[in-house]
Amino acid sequence: MINNIEELQKMIDESNNIVAFTGAGISTESGIKDFRSQDGLYNINNSKYKFPPEYMLSSSCLYNHPKDFFKYYKEQLNCLDIKPNITHNYLKKLEDIGKLKAIVTQNIDGLHTKAGNTNIYELHGTIYKNYCTGCYKEYPADYIFNSKDIPICNKCGKTIRPNVVLYGEMLPEQVYKEALLKMSEADMLIVIGTSLTVYPACDMINVFKGKYLVIINNDKTQYDNKANLVINDKLKNVFNKLK
């Protein structure tokens, strides 16, 4: 492990255009559940909900069973009081010293923004942006989470929805294209806390043409054989050893 940390540090020191690609695993140490791990949202006791989690977080559920959708969304995805952890803060440090040029994230929790990073590509949107499905008036996150049952627009009376990508929806095209460009231009890509199983996001690392591809995750991924360095450990054990 010590040798891996030293090698990672050397790669970071040699790189000047780093992009981080982050998934749910980066936020679990802040107390946010991921989706597919043993303690993740898909594996906890969901008996109090009418439908399985995959459906509860789908566009079909939002439009066909909105009351059920918002019950699940507000109970399981409210992370307004969650704070960034050591990994988020390390990425802020890399940006401050001019090495980290962008973060591409699958997360909707907004913790990279809370940590102070500025060039963030949120592939799946964020809980902090919400809009009316009728007049497109924008609403803050606390309006959604504090609403009773279905959040309703105070201007036109239509349903307000979170600006997040639900099952059955496409990634935002412009964000996706810009993120691909950043990854293709990077000299180092650090993949952090993602199982690299969710399409099309997981395929994005194939555009990387730089010198160092590093994958840091609790478990192995299907792309490990493409990486220059793979570290399978808790993220805090890695990032609290870097300078």
Side-chain angles (χ1 to χ4, degrees):
M1 180 62 180
I2 294 175
N3 289 339
N4 284 342
I5 297 297
E6 291 176 349
E7 187 175 357
L8 175 59
Q9 185 68 66
K10 180 175 180 291
M11 292 177 178
I12 291 172
D13 291 343
E14 292 177 0
S15 303
N16 292 299
N17 185 356
I18 301 173
V19 171
F21 182 52
T22 68
I26 196 175
S27 298
T28 55
E29 289 172 4
S30 289
I32 298 177
K33 288 184 174 64
D34 62 9
F35 293 92
R36 293 170 177 80
S37 71
Q38 184 176 353
D39 300 318
L41 288 179
Y42 292 172
N43 295 309
I44 62 174
N45 185 0
N46 288 291
S47 59
K48 67 177 179 176
Y49 302 113
K50 291 183 181 179
F51 309 105
E54 293 91 336
Y55 182 76
M56 298 294 279
L57 293 175
S58 69
S59 56
S60 295
C61 187
L62 171 62
Y63 293 112
N64 295 322
H65 304 93
K67 191 170 181 178
D68 294 300
F69 171 85
F70 281 106
K71 174 180 172 61
Y72 187 88
Y73 179 81
K74 288 187 279 189
E75 290 180 357
Q76 298 296 340
L77 297 183
N78 185 350
C79 50
L80 297 184
D81 296 329
I82 302 296
K83 296 180 180 179
N85 59 54
I86 187 172
T87 308
H88 298 99
N89 294 330
Y90 182 80
L91 294 180
K92 171 62 164 64
K93 176 184 174 182
L94 281 187
E95 180 179 310
D96 288 344
I97 63 176
K99 286 184 174 290
L100 184 73
K101 303 304 182 184
I103 294 174
V104 179
T105 186
Q106 300 172 79
N107 299 339
I108 63 173
D109 54 43
L111 291 184
H112 288 302
T113 300
K114 282 186 179 181
N117 285 101
T118 56
N119 200 18
I120 307 165
Y121 296 88
E122 294 169 314
L123 296 174
H124 296 153
T126 172
I127 65 167
Y128 287 92
K129 295 180 181 179
N130 305 270
Y131 64 91
C132 171
T133 55
C135 67
Y136 297 99
K137 179 180 177 181
E138 297 180 353
Y139 286 86
D142 56 359
Y143 187 95
I144 305 297
F145 289 110
N146 294 331
S147 64
K148 183 180 179 180
D149 295 330
I150 303 170
I152 300 299
C153 177
N154 56 27
K155 180 180 178 181
C156 74
K158 298 292 186 180
T159 301
I160 302 165
R161 65 158 289 171
N163 193 6
V164 301
V165 177
L166 303 173
Y167 285 104
E169 297 180 330
M170 302 289 289
L171 298 184
E173 184 176 3
Q174 190 61 31
V175 173
Y176 180 68
K177 286 182 177 179
E178 291 177 3
L180 283 175
L181 179 61
K182 290 295 183 181
M183 292 169 79
S184 69
E185 294 175 340
D187 58 12
M188 181 176 187
L189 178 63
I190 311 177
V191 179
I192 306 170
T194 173
S195 59
L196 294 174
T197 56
V198 177
Y199 291 90
C202 66
D203 273 348
M204 295 177 69
I205 69 171
N206 289 322
V207 305
F208 176 68
K209 307 180 187 71
K211 187 174 182 180
Y212 296 127
L213 172 61
V214 177
I215 298 177
I216 308 171
N217 193 51
N218 260 346
D219 304 309
K220 297 183 182 301
T221 79
Q222 61 181 321
Y223 290 93
D224 287 0
N225 63 336
K226 296 179 179 290
N228 301 96
L229 176 65
V230 176
I231 301 177
N232 294 132
D233 200 350
K234 292 184 181 298
L235 299 185
K236 64 182 178 182
N237 294 341
V238 176
F239 288 94
N240 66 8
K241 295 180 174 69
L242 296 172
K243 65 181 182 180

